Amino acid sequence: MPPSVDSAAAPPRGHRVRQTIAQLRERILGGEWPVGGRIPTEPQLVAALGVGRNTVREAVRALVHAGVLECRQGSGTYVVSTDELAPVVARRLTADRMAEVVEVRRAFEVEAARLAALRRTTEDLAALDGALAAREAAWHDGRFDEFVAADAALHTAVVAAAHNGMLAELYASVGAALHSTIAQSMGGALEPERYVDHSRLVEAIRAGDPGRAAIEAGAFLEPLPGA
C-alpha cells in the first residue's frame, strides 16, 4: 500500500497543519473564499492542498476556533471573518465595557487623525468628503441606522487616510464595537442635543494641521454617560 500524504516520510504533523492553516488564510485574505461564502469540501481541500484529511480537519478546526470559519451542520463550512482579532473583541464586547471601547477608539483615532493630516492624498480627501456628506444626509433625514453606518464609515476613512497598515488592521478589529459605541452615544435616536459636527475634523485634515486634527478627533470621544 503506498504511503499516505500524512505518512511518516512527510514533514512533522504540526508543521503540516501550520502550513495548511497558512494556505487557507491566504485564500481567504486573497478573496478566493469571501466572507459569507462556503469553502470547498474536505475532499476538495485534500486534493487542492495536497495534504491528508486529518491535516485539513485540524487546520479547519483551528480557524473555526479563531473565529474565521464556522461549521454549519448539513451545509458546510463558511468564512465568517477575515480578521482573527475581531471575534475576540466581539466576545469581550459587553455593556459594562463600553467605556473601555471608547478609550481604545480614542487611542486609535486621535493618532490616526494626526497622521491623516500629514499623509492624506487627494483620493483620501474625496473619500472623507463623501463619507461626511452621507453622514449629514442620514442625520437630516432622521435615518438612525444609516447614520450610525455613515458615521463609522467616516471614522474608518480617517484611519485609512493615515496610511498605516497595522493601525488600519487593528482598527478594523473593533468594527462591531465601533458601531455599538456610536449607537449607544446617540441614545438610540437622532436628537439635536447629541449631534456632533465632524466637518472641523475633516477640514483640519484637509489643511494639513496634525495638532488641530488630533484635538478634533479626541473632542467627541469622551466617556459614555453612566460609564
Side-chain angles (χ1 to χ4, degrees):
M1 177 183 297
S4 67
V5 180
D6 286 340
S7 69
R13 184 179 189 79
H15 178 70
R16 294 199 306 277
V17 172
R18 288 192 296 273
Q19 281 189 324
T20 303
I21 291 172
Q23 288 179 290
L24 294 175
R25 280 199 190 109
E26 184 178 348
R27 297 191 180 205
I28 292 168
L29 293 174
E32 183 176 342
W33 304 328
V35 172
R38 185 173 60 185
I39 70 171
T41 63
E42 188 177 280
Q44 290 172 327
L45 290 174
V46 167
L49 302 177
V51 295
R53 285 179 177 269
N54 290 338
T55 298
V56 167
R57 200 166 293 153
E58 287 188 37
V60 168
R61 189 181 301 124
L63 290 179
V64 168
H65 181 72
V68 174
L69 298 177
E70 179 181 80
C71 292
R72 301 175 187 172
Q73 190 169 3
S75 179
T77 302
Y78 290 78
V79 179
V80 293
S81 175
T82 58
D83 181 1
E84 294 181 36
L85 185 56
V88 176
V89 174
R91 286 195 293 270
R92 292 176 174 271
L93 180 58
T94 55
D96 61 340
R97 303 193 74 168
M98 281 297 181
E100 293 181 16
V101 173
V102 172
E103 290 172 356
V104 170
R105 281 189 58 197
R106 186 183 179 94
F108 285 156
E109 293 182 29
V110 169
E111 180 61 11
R114 189 187 73 79
L115 292 174
L118 296 171
R119 301 173 179 175
R120 82 283 184 275
T121 65
T122 301
E123 292 76 15
D124 292 327
L125 292 175
L128 288 168
D129 288 339
L132 181 62
R135 179 182 186 270
E136 295 304 303
W139 177 275
H140 182 268
D141 294 341
R143 293 174 276 124
F144 181 80
D145 291 341
E146 290 184 36
F147 175 81
V148 170
D151 192 51
L154 176 59
H155 293 296
T156 301
V158 172
V159 174
H163 293 279
N164 182 308
M166 183 172 292
L167 176 60
E169 289 177 16
L170 290 171
Y171 191 74
S173 71
V174 299
L178 172 61
H179 281 73
S180 295
T181 54
I182 293 171
Q184 185 169 333
S185 69
M186 299 306 298
L190 301 182
E191 302 293 344
E193 62 271 16
R194 292 183 181 271
Y195 175 77
V196 177
D197 182 7
H198 283 355
S199 63
R200 292 190 299 271
L201 169 60
V202 173
E203 287 309 310
I205 293 172
R206 189 190 315 278
D209 188 335
R212 185 155 62 94
I215 290 171
E216 290 294 341
F220 52 83
L221 285 171
E222 299 299 333
L224 294 170

